[in-house]
Amino acid sequence: MLENSILWRRDYRPDELDPEYIKPEAETGKMYFNGFDKCGRPVWIMRPRLQNSKDGERQIKHIVYSLERGIRLMPDLVENLAIIVDFKDSSASHNPSVSTCKKFLDILGNHYPERLGIAFVVKSPWFFFATFKIISPFMDPVTKNKIKFVYDGKEEKENKNTSNEWVHMEDYIEPDQLECDFGGRYNFTYELEPYWSALLEKTGNPYKIIQY
């Protein structure tokens, strides 16, 4: 796996992705970092309803770019991320394609092993469960078990759709680190320019390019 990842990085050059090329994908706030969980992991928030692009290649590069930046946001001794996928107000048209999901899982599992610490799925709709059922066979069992569904008052009905654990997010993220939308006390409004500038400042612009 290590050899394949080195070859992939030589070819894909994730540490050379141009922020200006990626930036249009970030305009709506469909994917960004905000806060840390109780284990010190950067919280990576995804909102499919804010999808603003049909460019599948750039979407994947946005994910890779975010992974690279997220790694650089990790405090000392922290080696993985917490992800929140918020499906509030999403429709089937916003749902990532099975192909995109499989590419994401391939990159995450093969080239960023163990970078996923935990993932929370919020307000999961029926169409997500359909996609999840399709992609589950392609997932590493350890990775699959890291995906948690967040209680939202419909858990008795939704529990029938998955064997994954149902949790309360506040058990994993302190209220002052958790956005109000998720039951926390962190009042946050995403704005592209302040966020993008802060991200580049904290993670480097450009950051060190690794030689292989």
Side-chain angles (χ1 to χ4, degrees):
M1 179 181 289
L2 178 59
E3 182 179 354
N4 288 338
S5 290
I6 291 174
L7 292 174
W8 174 80
R9 293 187 72 89
R10 283 177 177 170
D11 179 58
Y12 204 87
R13 288 294 178 183
D15 44 354
E16 293 183 20
L17 290 173
D18 181 4
E20 290 305 309
Y21 168 74
I22 299 296
K23 191 175 180 180
E25 293 288 333
E27 286 180 353
T28 59
K30 66 184 177 186
M31 187 185 301
Y32 62 92
F33 290 96
N34 198 18
F36 296 83
D37 73 0
K38 291 182 179 181
C39 295
R41 297 177 289 214
V43 177
W44 189 11
I45 297 172
M46 302 178 181
R47 289 189 164 97
R49 70 179 182 274
L50 300 179
Q51 179 58 263
N52 63 325
S53 167
K54 296 186 181 298
D55 187 335
E57 181 180 354
R58 193 169 64 183
Q59 287 176 17
I60 293 296
K61 287 184 176 179
H62 183 207
I63 291 170
V64 172
Y65 177 87
S66 297
L67 278 165
E68 291 285 318
R69 298 284 169 162
I71 291 168
R72 287 159 175 78
L73 289 172
M74 293 175 184
D76 291 343
L77 304 181
V78 174
E79 297 184 348
N80 45 41
L81 302 166
I83 299 176
I84 298 175
V85 185
D86 178 16
F87 279 102
K88 179 183 177 181
D89 296 333
S90 291
S91 66
S93 63
H94 300 131
N95 202 37
S97 68
V98 172
S99 174
T100 298
C101 290
K102 287 173 66 177
K103 286 180 182 177
F104 171 54
L105 291 172
D106 175 69
I107 290 171
L108 186 66
N110 292 325
H111 308 305
Y112 296 90
E114 299 305 315
R115 289 303 190 185
L116 173 61
I118 192 168
F120 304 98
V121 181
V122 180
K123 297 190 179 300
S124 41
W126 66 267
F127 55 81
F128 172 77
F129 284 109
T131 301
F132 190 64
K133 184 176 181 179
I134 293 172
I135 65 175
S136 288
F138 301 98
M139 299 177 68
D140 176 79
V142 175
T143 299
K144 182 176 181 292
N145 288 334
K146 291 178 180 179
I147 299 173
K148 314 295 182 183
F149 291 85
V150 177
Y151 285 113
D152 65 355
K154 301 178 182 178
E155 55 271 14
E156 289 186 7
K157 177 181 178 182
E158 305 294 7
N159 259 328
K160 299 176 182 178
N161 293 310
T162 178
S163 60
N164 285 60
E165 185 180 7
W166 287 77
V167 300
H168 295 283
M169 204 152 33
E170 58 267 29
D171 291 338
Y172 297 84
I173 305 175
E174 295 287 358
D176 62 347
Q177 294 289 313
L178 185 63
E179 292 185 14
C180 296
D181 284 351
F182 307 124
R185 296 197 300 265
Y186 189 0
N187 188 13
F188 176 81
T189 300
Y190 179 87
E191 295 181 34
L192 174 61
E193 294 302 335
Y195 170 77
W196 202 251
S197 296
L199 181 66
L200 295 180
E201 180 180 351
K202 291 179 181 296
T203 60
N205 182 27
Y207 48 71
K208 181 180 178 182
I209 295 174
I210 302 171
Q211 300 299 326
Y212 302 97

